[in-house]
Amino acid sequence: MRTLWGKSLTDLGSDQVAEVKKILVKYGLRVTDLASPLFKTDLPGAPLSKESPRHDTFKADFTYKEQSDLLEHLIELSKIFGTDRIRCFDFWRLEDQKPFRAEMDHKLYEAAETCRRHGLILLLENEMACNTVRG
């Protein structure tokens, strides 16, 4: 689940979340994962990415400082929608990620540990605009 009614799933109000739940039950649907924009942002201290100005095209643009709150919200939504998987990224693509890879990995590890404590799995999407790309 990524967007509904032209909104990111992270921007749904409680009435819209309730409506989604009704639709899921009515049609016997299951949410496999939350296709979130987690860590689809610039890494502080790193050079500004060429991908950064494009931002997320699915109505979800969160700053680095907002990532912890975003993850907590995603954890709440995963429980509401009955899924144990949250998708993330590894920051907007850097020309040279080597000097920043350890910091990116540390952030991903922290998020994965937070998810683990809640019985959730953090999925890393490989995307050309981010640092882990399909080869």
Side-chain angles (χ1 to χ4, degrees), residues 25 41 60-61 65 70 83 101 117 125:
V25 169
T41 188
D61 185 23
K65 289 180 180 179
L70 175 58
T83 183
R101 189 72 248 179
R117 286 192 303 273
E125 182 171 328

Side-chain angles (χ1 to χ4, degrees), residues 36-40 67 70-71 74 86-89 111 122:
S36 83
L38 186 65
F39 301 129
K40 203 170 193 184
Q67 299 305 302
L70 175 58
L71 179 56
L74 290 163
I86 298 173
R87 176 200 62 188
C88 74
F89 298 90
L122 187 65

Side-chain angles (χ1 to χ4, degrees), residues 41-87:
T41 188
D42 284 301
L43 183 69
L48 191 62
S49 172
K50 290 179 184 176
E51 301 296 332
S52 178
R54 292 179 30 203
H55 294 293
D56 192 337
T57 57
F58 296 100
K59 311 233 187 274
D61 185 23
F62 296 90
T63 67
Y64 179 83
K65 289 180 180 179
E66 295 171 307
Q67 299 305 302
S68 293
D69 291 339
L70 175 58
L71 179 56
E72 291 303 318
H73 184 54
L74 290 163
I75 290 168
E76 291 171 16
L77 289 173
S78 71
K79 293 179 188 303
I80 291 168
F81 293 126
T83 183
D84 65 349
R85 289 164 167 61
I86 298 173
R87 176 200 62 188

